[in-house]
Amino acid sequence: MPELPEVETIVRQLAPRVEGRAVRDIVIADPRWCEPADPRAVEDALRGQRIDALRRRGKYLIAELGSGTALICHLRMTGTVLYDPDGDPPHTRVRIDLDDGHRLRWVDPRRFGTGHLVPDREALDAYLDARLALEPLDPRFTADHLRELARGRRAPVKAFILDQRRMAGVGNIYADEALFRARIHPLRPAGTLNRRQIEALREALIASLKDGIDARGATIDGYRDVDGVSGSFQDRFLVHRRAGRPCPECGTTVVKLVAAGRGTYLCPRCQPRPRTRTGARRPSAVNRRG
DNA sequence: CGCCCTGTTGGGGA
DNA sequence: ATCCCCAACAGGGC
């Protein structure tokens, strides 16, 4: 389940092993991976290229090549990159053999993952800028920045967090964890958070992502790092997928609801519901904004 | 066995 | 601006 920490883990493990190496051969076994581009054309463009840099932005994994082109990959739900696995694992979609004899395998049961080739640095930046905002780990992601982002937003804070054009890299799991740590209900309209809560949310986002990175990613539904080893963050999930179990903070039963169309877990006591309960009276007592 | 759930993003329609 | 649903698909849980 690649969110920012999982992709970061891939980069940290893989960059030292592949940077400076060249692609000896590549086979895109699943054309959907790079569609609408022609897989043969993508293979031809990559074959023989040196990998100058492997890096990440948001949840995108980026390989910059000697030719100036770049390959922008997204693992989506179930994508995994493996380095020298035994043979070709089931659901291997792309095979890359390096000039040093090592092998990269893109494994993705659900086939949602994608690879997109761009011709140069400008196209790379344009592609990413159109999709991603600053990420919480960026030093520029200050409390002021977050407050500005949230100002006037009426969308539930969870939807706000998941929107990659507002902040990049946080997915469903880390969003739940951060909201729990910040003691904020996921349905709270983002624009109603006070200064303290904004700062708490910022710190919680950063802490959750860092913990995930330190754990080399979350173990969930088969996620593996590049050496095929499971991450360990799942052991530390505080609320995510813990419905029916006691809150680690207060013992109240963790509940599940749907927010932003996603399964959402929270402690109803630590994260009190925003007012405006269903059936509230005084439908016209709106806050007059201003 | 069959139904229901699941990490993501992007697009369409309300 | 926002939201809900859907589309990709496979596998696990019950």
Side-chain angles (χ1 to χ4, degrees):
Chain A
M1 30 67 47
E3 300 183 23
L4 184 156
E6 288 72 34
V7 184
E8 176 68 21
T9 299
I10 291 171
V11 169
R12 289 187 182 188
Q13 296 182 320
L14 218 47
R17 304 184 202 178
V18 306
E19 283 177 354
R21 308 316 322 174
V23 176
R24 175 187 291 163
D25 196 18
I26 170 171
V27 175
I28 300 171
D30 179 7
R32 185 179 295 154
W33 186 74
C34 60
E35 72 182 11
D38 172 33
R40 300 293 92 79
V42 175
E43 291 169 358
D44 291 345
L46 293 175
R47 196 172 292 116
Q49 294 299 324
R50 189 186 64 246
I51 301 171
D52 276 350
L54 187 75
R55 60 189 183 89
R56 171 192 70 73
R57 186 165 149 195
K59 306 174 190 176
Y60 286 93
L61 179 65
I62 302 155
E64 294 181 295
L65 304 165
S67 55
T69 60
L71 183 65
I72 308 173
C73 304
H74 199 296
L75 292 100
R76 298 282 181 138
M77 305 261 276
T78 52
T80 307
V81 177
L82 295 175
Y83 185 82
D84 287 344
D86 291 333
D88 287 351
H91 312 300
T92 294
R93 310 298 180 194
V94 180
R95 304 192 295 271
I96 295 177
D97 294 337
L98 301 173
D99 63 353
D100 58 3
H102 289 287
R103 299 150 43 239
L104 294 173
R105 295 295 181 264
W106 181 285
V107 176
D108 185 4
R110 290 176 71 172
R111 301 169 65 201
F112 294 166
T114 57
H116 180 68
L117 205 56
V118 290
D120 52 39
R121 187 55 182 262
E122 290 68 40
L124 172 61
D125 289 340
Y127 185 95
L128 297 171
D129 289 343
R131 291 165 175 79
L132 302 176
L134 221 53
E135 51 190 67
L137 297 184
D138 192 297
R140 293 167 290 178
F141 196 92
T142 60
D144 282 346
H145 175 76
L146 182 56
R147 189 184 320 128
E148 196 56 34
L149 276 181
R151 193 165 68 169
R153 300 270 142 266
R154 298 206 281 182
V157 63
K158 170 127 181 202
F160 170 77
I161 291 171
L162 292 180
D163 187 342
Q164 304 297 301
R165 288 160 314 194
R166 299 209 194 285
M167 69 180 79
V170 188
N172 200 35
I173 294 175
Y174 293 92
D176 279 1
E177 296 299 297
L179 285 169
F180 171 73
R181 295 187 193 200
R183 305 176 74 87
I184 295 169
H185 194 287
L187 293 179
R188 180 77 178 273
T192 67
L193 299 176
N194 63 33
R195 277 174 185 265
R196 272 199 39 201
Q197 291 170 315
I198 287 285
E199 180 53 34
L201 177 57
R202 175 180 161 276
E203 288 175 5
L205 286 164
I206 293 169
S208 299
L209 294 172
K210 282 190 170 167
D211 282 358
I213 292 170
D214 288 346
R216 294 198 337 285
T219 301
I220 199 165
D221 291 352
Y223 170 77
R224 297 285 187 281
D225 70 11
V226 300
D227 296 315
V229 179
S230 299
S232 58
F233 188 64
Q234 185 173 37
D235 302 334
R236 302 195 233 162
F237 285 173
L238 301 174
V239 290
H240 187 77
R241 296 205 185 178
R242 286 240 188 283
R245 306 180 58 177
C247 165
E249 202 63 36
C250 73
T252 302
T253 301
V254 171
V255 301
K256 177 186 182 184
L257 49 78
V258 174
R262 317 289 297 279
T264 299
Y265 301 81
L266 64 115
C267 169
R269 184 166 175 199
C270 293
Q271 301 162 266
R273 229 181 161 34
R275 50 188 192 74
T276 70
R277 305 194 42 112
T278 54
R281 304 159 179 292
R282 313 168 42 236
S284 63
V286 205
N287 46 350
R288 201 67 41 165
R289 174 63 294 226

Short mmCIF file of all heavy atoms in Angstrom, two decimals, chain A residues 15-71:
data_model
loop_
_atom_site.label_atom_id
_atom_site.label_comp_id
_atom_site.label_asym_id
_atom_site.label_seq_id
_atom_site.Cartn_x
_atom_site.Cartn_y
_atom_site.Cartn_z
N ALA A 15 17.91 3.41 -4.64
CA ALA A 15 18.74 4.44 -5.30
C ALA A 15 20.22 4.07 -5.28
O ALA A 15 20.88 4.13 -6.32
CB ALA A 15 18.49 5.81 -4.67
N PRO A 16 20.77 3.68 -4.13
CA PRO A 16 22.20 3.35 -4.11
C PRO A 16 22.54 2.15 -4.99
O PRO A 16 23.68 2.02 -5.43
CB PRO A 16 22.48 3.02 -2.65
CG PRO A 16 21.31 3.50 -1.88
CD PRO A 16 20.15 3.53 -2.81
N ARG A 17 21.58 1.30 -5.25
CA ARG A 17 21.87 0.09 -6.01
C ARG A 17 21.74 0.31 -7.51
O ARG A 17 22.36 -0.42 -8.29
CB ARG A 17 20.92 -1.03 -5.60
CG ARG A 17 20.95 -1.33 -4.10
CD ARG A 17 20.06 -2.51 -3.78
NE ARG A 17 19.66 -2.51 -2.37
CZ ARG A 17 18.85 -3.41 -1.84
NH1 ARG A 17 18.36 -4.39 -2.59
NH2 ARG A 17 18.52 -3.34 -0.57
N VAL A 18 20.91 1.27 -7.91
CA VAL A 18 20.65 1.40 -9.36
C VAL A 18 21.22 2.66 -9.98
O VAL A 18 21.41 2.71 -11.20
CB VAL A 18 19.14 1.32 -9.67
CG1 VAL A 18 18.54 0.04 -9.08
CG2 VAL A 18 18.40 2.55 -9.16
N GLU A 19 21.49 3.65 -9.17
CA GLU A 19 21.99 4.89 -9.77
C GLU A 19 23.37 4.65 -10.38
O GLU A 19 24.25 4.06 -9.75
CB GLU A 19 22.04 6.01 -8.72
CG GLU A 19 20.65 6.57 -8.45
CD GLU A 19 20.61 7.63 -7.38
OE1 GLU A 19 21.66 7.88 -6.74
OE2 GLU A 19 19.53 8.21 -7.16
N GLY A 20 23.50 5.12 -11.61
CA GLY A 20 24.75 4.89 -12.34
C GLY A 20 24.74 3.62 -13.17
O GLY A 20 25.59 3.43 -14.03
N ARG A 21 23.78 2.75 -12.90
CA ARG A 21 23.66 1.53 -13.70
C ARG A 21 22.85 1.84 -14.96
O ARG A 21 22.12 2.83 -15.01
CB ARG A 21 22.94 0.41 -12.94
CG ARG A 21 23.45 0.05 -11.58
CD ARG A 21 24.95 -0.05 -11.46
NE ARG A 21 25.60 -0.64 -12.62
CZ ARG A 21 26.90 -0.73 -12.78
NH1 ARG A 21 27.72 -0.22 -11.86
NH2 ARG A 21 27.40 -1.30 -13.84
N ALA A 22 22.98 0.97 -15.94
CA ALA A 22 22.21 1.15 -17.18
C ALA A 22 21.19 0.02 -17.33
O ALA A 22 21.37 -1.07 -16.77
CB ALA A 22 23.14 1.17 -18.38
N VAL A 23 20.16 0.31 -18.07
CA VAL A 23 19.14 -0.70 -18.36
C VAL A 23 19.65 -1.59 -19.49
O VAL A 23 19.78 -1.14 -20.62
CB VAL A 23 17.81 -0.02 -18.77
CG1 VAL A 23 16.78 -1.07 -19.18
CG2 VAL A 23 17.28 0.84 -17.64
N ARG A 24 19.95 -2.81 -19.17
CA ARG A 24 20.40 -3.72 -20.23
C ARG A 24 19.20 -4.16 -21.08
O ARG A 24 19.25 -4.20 -22.28
CB ARG A 24 21.09 -4.94 -19.63
CG ARG A 24 21.48 -5.98 -20.68
CD ARG A 24 22.00 -7.25 -20.04
NE ARG A 24 23.29 -7.02 -19.40
CZ ARG A 24 23.82 -7.85 -18.50
NH1 ARG A 24 23.14 -8.92 -18.12
NH2 ARG A 24 24.99 -7.58 -17.96
N ASP A 25 18.12 -4.49 -20.38
CA ASP A 25 16.93 -4.87 -21.12
C ASP A 25 15.69 -4.61 -20.27
O ASP A 25 15.76 -4.62 -19.04
CB ASP A 25 16.99 -6.36 -21.51
CG ASP A 25 15.97 -6.68 -22.61
OD1 ASP A 25 15.50 -5.73 -23.28
OD2 ASP A 25 15.66 -7.86 -22.80
N ILE A 26 14.61 -4.38 -20.94
CA ILE A 26 13.34 -4.17 -20.25
C ILE A 26 12.22 -4.81 -21.04
O ILE A 26 12.18 -4.73 -22.26
CB ILE A 26 13.04 -2.66 -20.04
CG1 ILE A 26 11.59 -2.45 -19.54
CG2 ILE A 26 13.29 -1.86 -21.33
CD1 ILE A 26 11.28 -1.04 -19.11
N VAL A 27 11.34 -5.47 -20.31
CA VAL A 27 10.17 -6.08 -20.94
C VAL A 27 8.93 -5.63 -20.18
O VAL A 27 8.80 -5.87 -18.97
CB VAL A 27 10.26 -7.62 -20.93
CG1 VAL A 27 8.96 -8.22 -21.49
CG2 VAL A 27 11.46 -8.10 -21.71
N ILE A 28 8.05 -4.98 -20.88
CA ILE A 28 6.78 -4.58 -20.30
C ILE A 28 5.75 -5.64 -20.68
O ILE A 28 5.24 -5.67 -21.79
CB ILE A 28 6.35 -3.19 -20.81
CG1 ILE A 28 7.41 -2.14 -20.42
CG2 ILE A 28 4.98 -2.81 -20.24
CD1 ILE A 28 7.19 -0.78 -21.06
N ALA A 29 5.49 -6.51 -19.72
CA ALA A 29 4.63 -7.66 -20.03
C ALA A 29 3.16 -7.29 -20.03
O ALA A 29 2.34 -7.99 -20.60
CB ALA A 29 4.89 -8.77 -19.01
N ASP A 30 2.82 -6.20 -19.37
CA ASP A 30 1.44 -5.77 -19.32
C ASP A 30 1.32 -4.38 -19.95
O ASP A 30 1.71 -3.38 -19.36
CB ASP A 30 0.97 -5.73 -17.86
CG ASP A 30 -0.47 -5.25 -17.74
OD1 ASP A 30 -1.13 -5.08 -18.78
OD2 ASP A 30 -0.92 -5.05 -16.59
N PRO A 31 0.77 -4.33 -21.15
CA PRO A 31 0.69 -3.05 -21.89
C PRO A 31 -0.06 -1.97 -21.13
O PRO A 31 0.18 -0.78 -21.33
CB PRO A 31 -0.06 -3.42 -23.17
CG PRO A 31 -0.26 -4.89 -23.16
CD PRO A 31 0.11 -5.43 -21.83
N ARG A 32 -0.96 -2.39 -20.25
CA ARG A 32 -1.74 -1.39 -19.53
C ARG A 32 -0.86 -0.53 -18.63
O ARG A 32 -1.20 0.59 -18.29
CB ARG A 32 -2.82 -2.09 -18.70
CG ARG A 32 -3.75 -1.11 -18.02
CD ARG A 32 -4.80 -1.81 -17.22
NE ARG A 32 -5.68 -2.59 -18.08
CZ ARG A 32 -6.35 -3.65 -17.67
NH1 ARG A 32 -6.21 -4.08 -16.45
NH2 ARG A 32 -7.14 -4.31 -18.49
N TRP A 33 0.29 -1.08 -18.26
CA TRP A 33 1.19 -0.38 -17.35
C TRP A 33 1.54 1.02 -17.88
O TRP A 33 1.64 1.97 -17.12
CB TRP A 33 2.46 -1.22 -17.14
CG TRP A 33 3.40 -0.66 -16.12
CD1 TRP A 33 3.23 -0.68 -14.77
CD2 TRP A 33 4.66 -0.03 -16.36
NE1 TRP A 33 4.31 -0.10 -14.14
CE2 TRP A 33 5.20 0.30 -15.10
CE3 TRP A 33 5.39 0.29 -17.50
CZ2 TRP A 33 6.43 0.93 -14.95
CZ3 TRP A 33 6.61 0.91 -17.37
CH2 TRP A 33 7.13 1.24 -16.11
N CYS A 34 1.75 1.10 -19.17
CA CYS A 34 2.22 2.38 -19.73
C CYS A 34 1.23 2.99 -20.72
O CYS A 34 1.57 3.92 -21.44
CB CYS A 34 3.58 2.20 -20.41
SG CYS A 34 3.55 1.01 -21.78
N GLU A 35 0.03 2.44 -20.78
CA GLU A 35 -0.88 2.96 -21.78
C GLU A 35 -1.23 4.42 -21.48
O GLU A 35 -1.20 4.83 -20.31
CB GLU A 35 -2.14 2.09 -21.90
CG GLU A 35 -3.11 2.20 -20.76
CD GLU A 35 -4.29 1.25 -20.95
OE1 GLU A 35 -4.26 0.37 -21.85
OE2 GLU A 35 -5.25 1.39 -20.20
N PRO A 36 -1.51 5.22 -22.50
CA PRO A 36 -1.75 4.80 -23.87
C PRO A 36 -0.47 4.60 -24.70
O PRO A 36 -0.57 4.29 -25.88
CB PRO A 36 -2.57 5.95 -24.44
CG PRO A 36 -2.08 7.14 -23.70
CD PRO A 36 -1.75 6.66 -22.32
N ALA A 37 0.69 4.78 -24.08
CA ALA A 37 1.92 4.64 -24.86
C ALA A 37 2.11 3.19 -25.32
O ALA A 37 1.67 2.26 -24.66
CB ALA A 37 3.11 5.08 -24.02
N ASP A 38 2.78 3.04 -26.41
CA ASP A 38 3.09 1.70 -26.92
C ASP A 38 4.23 1.10 -26.12
O ASP A 38 5.30 1.68 -26.01
CB ASP A 38 3.48 1.81 -28.40
CG ASP A 38 4.01 0.47 -28.93
OD1 ASP A 38 3.52 -0.57 -28.46
OD2 ASP A 38 4.91 0.49 -29.78
N PRO A 39 4.00 -0.06 -25.53
CA PRO A 39 5.02 -0.68 -24.68
C PRO A 39 6.36 -0.89 -25.38
O PRO A 39 7.41 -0.72 -24.77
CB PRO A 39 4.40 -2.02 -24.28
CG PRO A 39 3.04 -2.07 -24.86
CD PRO A 39 2.76 -0.82 -25.61
N ARG A 40 6.31 -1.23 -26.65
CA ARG A 40 7.57 -1.44 -27.39
C ARG A 40 8.36 -0.13 -27.48
O ARG A 40 9.57 -0.10 -27.34
CB ARG A 40 7.29 -1.98 -28.80
CG ARG A 40 6.54 -3.32 -28.85
CD ARG A 40 7.38 -4.47 -28.30
NE ARG A 40 7.17 -4.70 -26.88
CZ ARG A 40 6.11 -5.35 -26.35
NH1 ARG A 40 5.15 -5.82 -27.12
NH2 ARG A 40 6.01 -5.51 -25.05
N ALA A 41 7.62 0.94 -27.70
CA ALA A 41 8.28 2.25 -27.80
C ALA A 41 8.91 2.64 -26.47
O ALA A 41 10.02 3.19 -26.43
CB ALA A 41 7.28 3.31 -28.26
N VAL A 42 8.20 2.35 -25.39
CA VAL A 42 8.74 2.68 -24.07
C VAL A 42 9.97 1.83 -23.78
O VAL A 42 10.99 2.33 -23.29
CB VAL A 42 7.66 2.46 -22.98
CG1 VAL A 42 8.25 2.67 -21.59
CG2 VAL A 42 6.49 3.42 -23.21
N GLU A 43 9.89 0.58 -24.11
CA GLU A 43 11.06 -0.29 -23.92
C GLU A 43 12.26 0.24 -24.70
O GLU A 43 13.38 0.31 -24.18
CB GLU A 43 10.73 -1.72 -24.41
CG GLU A 43 9.73 -2.45 -23.54
CD GLU A 43 9.23 -3.74 -24.17
OE1 GLU A 43 9.65 -4.04 -25.31
OE2 GLU A 43 8.42 -4.44 -23.54
N ASP A 44 12.01 0.60 -25.95
CA ASP A 44 13.11 1.09 -26.79
C ASP A 44 13.72 2.37 -26.23
O ASP A 44 14.93 2.59 -26.31
CB ASP A 44 12.61 1.33 -28.22
CG ASP A 44 12.28 0.02 -28.93
OD1 ASP A 44 12.71 -1.04 -28.43
OD2 ASP A 44 11.57 0.06 -29.95
N ALA A 45 12.84 3.20 -25.67
CA ALA A 45 13.34 4.46 -25.12
C ALA A 45 14.20 4.24 -23.88
O ALA A 45 15.09 5.03 -23.58
CB ALA A 45 12.17 5.38 -24.79
N LEU A 46 13.93 3.15 -23.18
CA LEU A 46 14.63 2.92 -21.91
C LEU A 46 15.86 2.03 -22.06
O LEU A 46 16.82 2.13 -21.28
CB LEU A 46 13.68 2.29 -20.89
CG LEU A 46 12.53 3.20 -20.44
CD1 LEU A 46 11.59 2.45 -19.52
CD2 LEU A 46 13.09 4.43 -19.72
N ARG A 47 15.82 1.18 -23.03
CA ARG A 47 16.92 0.21 -23.19
C ARG A 47 18.24 0.94 -23.41
O ARG A 47 18.36 1.83 -24.24
CB ARG A 47 16.61 -0.72 -24.35
CG ARG A 47 17.45 -1.98 -24.36
CD ARG A 47 16.98 -2.97 -25.42
NE ARG A 47 15.67 -3.53 -25.12
CZ ARG A 47 14.59 -3.34 -25.87
NH1 ARG A 47 14.64 -2.63 -26.97
NH2 ARG A 47 13.43 -3.88 -25.52
N GLY A 48 19.22 0.55 -22.63
CA GLY A 48 20.56 1.12 -22.77
C GLY A 48 20.77 2.42 -22.00
O GLY A 48 21.89 2.89 -21.89
N GLN A 49 19.69 2.96 -21.45
CA GLN A 49 19.82 4.24 -20.73
C GLN A 49 20.46 4.05 -19.37
O GLN A 49 20.20 3.07 -18.67
CB GLN A 49 18.44 4.88 -20.56
CG GLN A 49 17.80 5.31 -21.86
CD GLN A 49 18.63 6.34 -22.58
OE1 GLN A 49 19.25 7.21 -21.97
NE2 GLN A 49 18.67 6.24 -23.91
N ARG A 50 21.25 5.04 -18.99
CA ARG A 50 21.80 5.04 -17.64
C ARG A 50 20.78 5.67 -16.69
O ARG A 50 20.09 6.62 -17.04
CB ARG A 50 23.10 5.85 -17.59
CG ARG A 50 23.85 5.72 -16.28
CD ARG A 50 25.05 6.63 -16.22
NE ARG A 50 24.66 8.03 -16.26
CZ ARG A 50 24.94 8.85 -17.27
NH1 ARG A 50 25.62 8.41 -18.31
NH2 ARG A 50 24.56 10.12 -17.22
N ILE A 51 20.68 5.12 -15.50
CA ILE A 51 19.80 5.69 -14.49
C ILE A 51 20.59 6.72 -13.69
O ILE A 51 21.46 6.37 -12.90
CB ILE A 51 19.24 4.59 -13.55
CG1 ILE A 51 18.47 3.55 -14.38
CG2 ILE A 51 18.35 5.21 -12.48
CD1 ILE A 51 18.08 2.31 -13.58
N ASP A 52 20.32 7.97 -13.94
CA ASP A 52 21.05 9.04 -13.26
C ASP A 52 20.59 9.21 -11.82
O ASP A 52 21.40 9.43 -10.92
CB ASP A 52 20.84 10.37 -14.00
CG ASP A 52 21.80 10.53 -15.16
OD1 ASP A 52 22.73 9.70 -15.26
OD2 ASP A 52 21.63 11.46 -15.96
N ALA A 53 19.29 9.13 -11.62
CA ALA A 53 18.76 9.36 -10.27
C ALA A 53 17.45 8.62 -10.10
O ALA A 53 16.66 8.49 -11.03
CB ALA A 53 18.56 10.86 -10.03
N LEU A 54 17.27 8.13 -8.89
CA LEU A 54 15.98 7.55 -8.53
C LEU A 54 15.47 8.35 -7.35
O LEU A 54 16.15 8.47 -6.33
CB LEU A 54 16.14 6.08 -8.13
CG LEU A 54 14.83 5.33 -7.88
CD1 LEU A 54 14.14 5.02 -9.21
CD2 LEU A 54 15.07 4.04 -7.11
N ARG A 55 14.30 8.92 -7.50
CA ARG A 55 13.79 9.75 -6.42
C ARG A 55 12.28 9.65 -6.34
O ARG A 55 11.65 8.86 -7.03
CB ARG A 55 14.23 11.20 -6.60
CG ARG A 55 13.77 11.84 -7.90
CD ARG A 55 14.46 13.19 -8.05
NE ARG A 55 14.01 13.90 -9.23
CZ ARG A 55 12.97 14.73 -9.24
NH1 ARG A 55 12.27 14.94 -8.15
NH2 ARG A 55 12.60 15.34 -10.35
N ARG A 56 11.73 10.44 -5.46
CA ARG A 56 10.30 10.36 -5.17
C ARG A 56 9.71 11.75 -5.07
O ARG A 56 10.38 12.69 -4.66
CB ARG A 56 10.11 9.66 -3.82
CG ARG A 56 8.70 9.68 -3.28
CD ARG A 56 8.66 9.23 -1.83
NE ARG A 56 9.25 10.19 -0.92
CZ ARG A 56 8.71 11.33 -0.55
NH1 ARG A 56 7.54 11.69 -1.04
NH2 ARG A 56 9.31 12.16 0.28
N ARG A 57 8.49 11.88 -5.48
CA ARG A 57 7.74 13.08 -5.12
C ARG A 57 6.31 12.64 -4.85
O ARG A 57 5.68 12.00 -5.69
CB ARG A 57 7.80 14.12 -6.23
CG ARG A 57 7.16 15.42 -5.81
CD ARG A 57 7.50 16.58 -6.71
NE ARG A 57 6.39 17.52 -6.72
CZ ARG A 57 6.23 18.49 -7.60
NH1 ARG A 57 7.12 18.65 -8.56
NH2 ARG A 57 5.19 19.29 -7.53
N GLY A 58 5.81 12.99 -3.67
CA GLY A 58 4.52 12.46 -3.26
C GLY A 58 4.61 10.95 -3.29
O GLY A 58 5.55 10.35 -2.77
N LYS A 59 3.68 10.32 -3.93
CA LYS A 59 3.70 8.86 -4.04
C LYS A 59 4.29 8.41 -5.37
O LYS A 59 4.26 7.22 -5.68
CB LYS A 59 2.28 8.30 -3.88
CG LYS A 59 1.57 8.76 -2.61
CD LYS A 59 0.12 8.30 -2.57
CE LYS A 59 -0.63 8.97 -1.43
NZ LYS A 59 -2.06 8.62 -1.42
N TYR A 60 4.77 9.34 -6.14
CA TYR A 60 5.36 8.98 -7.44
C TYR A 60 6.83 8.60 -7.27
O TYR A 60 7.58 9.24 -6.55
CB TYR A 60 5.25 10.13 -8.43
CG TYR A 60 3.86 10.34 -8.97
CD1 TYR A 60 3.00 11.25 -8.37
CD2 TYR A 60 3.41 9.64 -10.08
CE1 TYR A 60 1.71 11.45 -8.86
CE2 TYR A 60 2.13 9.83 -10.58
CZ TYR A 60 1.29 10.74 -9.97
OH TYR A 60 0.02 10.93 -10.45
N LEU A 61 7.20 7.55 -7.96
CA LEU A 61 8.58 7.09 -8.01
C LEU A 61 9.14 7.51 -9.37
O LEU A 61 8.53 7.24 -10.41
CB LEU A 61 8.59 5.57 -7.87
CG LEU A 61 9.92 4.83 -7.92
CD1 LEU A 61 10.80 5.22 -6.74
CD2 LEU A 61 9.68 3.32 -7.91
N ILE A 62 10.29 8.17 -9.36
CA ILE A 62 10.80 8.78 -10.58
C ILE A 62 12.21 8.31 -10.88
O ILE A 62 13.09 8.36 -10.01
CB ILE A 62 10.82 10.32 -10.42
CG1 ILE A 62 9.41 10.84 -10.10
CG2 ILE A 62 11.38 10.98 -11.67
CD1 ILE A 62 9.41 12.15 -9.35
N ALA A 63 12.41 7.83 -12.09
CA ALA A 63 13.76 7.48 -12.54
C ALA A 63 14.17 8.48 -13.61
O ALA A 63 13.52 8.59 -14.65
CB ALA A 63 13.78 6.06 -13.09
N GLU A 64 15.25 9.19 -13.33
CA GLU A 64 15.77 10.14 -14.31
C GLU A 64 16.89 9.46 -15.07
O GLU A 64 17.80 8.89 -14.47
CB GLU A 64 16.25 11.40 -13.62
CG GLU A 64 15.11 12.17 -12.99
CD GLU A 64 15.57 13.46 -12.32
OE1 GLU A 64 16.33 13.36 -11.33
OE2 GLU A 64 15.19 14.53 -12.77
N LEU A 65 16.80 9.57 -16.39
CA LEU A 65 17.72 8.82 -17.23
C LEU A 65 18.74 9.72 -17.92
O LEU A 65 18.53 10.93 -18.06
CB LEU A 65 16.91 8.05 -18.28
CG LEU A 65 15.85 7.16 -17.62
CD1 LEU A 65 14.83 6.70 -18.63
CD2 LEU A 65 16.51 5.98 -16.94
N GLY A 66 19.82 9.08 -18.34
CA GLY A 66 20.90 9.83 -18.97
C GLY A 66 20.46 10.63 -20.18
O GLY A 66 20.98 11.70 -20.46
N SER A 67 19.47 10.14 -20.87
CA SER A 67 19.01 10.82 -22.07
C SER A 67 18.22 12.09 -21.77
O SER A 67 17.85 12.81 -22.68
CB SER A 67 18.11 9.87 -22.87
OG SER A 67 17.07 9.39 -22.05
N GLY A 68 17.95 12.34 -20.49
CA GLY A 68 17.14 13.49 -20.13
C GLY A 68 15.68 13.12 -19.96
O GLY A 68 14.90 13.88 -19.40
N THR A 69 15.32 11.95 -20.45
CA THR A 69 13.96 11.50 -20.23
C THR A 69 13.79 11.04 -18.79
O THR A 69 14.77 10.81 -18.07
CB THR A 69 13.59 10.34 -21.17
OG1 THR A 69 14.47 9.25 -20.90
CG2 THR A 69 13.74 10.74 -22.62
N ALA A 70 12.56 10.89 -18.38
CA ALA A 70 12.29 10.40 -17.03
C ALA A 70 11.12 9.45 -17.08
O ALA A 70 10.19 9.60 -17.88
CB ALA A 70 11.99 11.56 -16.09
N LEU A 71 11.18 8.46 -16.22
CA LEU A 71 10.10 7.50 -16.09
C LEU A 71 9.39 7.79 -14.77
O LEU A 71 10.01 7.73 -13.70
CB LEU A 71 10.65 6.08 -16.11
CG LEU A 71 9.61 4.95 -16.04
CD1 LEU A 71 8.73 4.94 -17.28
CD2 LEU A 71 10.32 3.60 -15.88
#
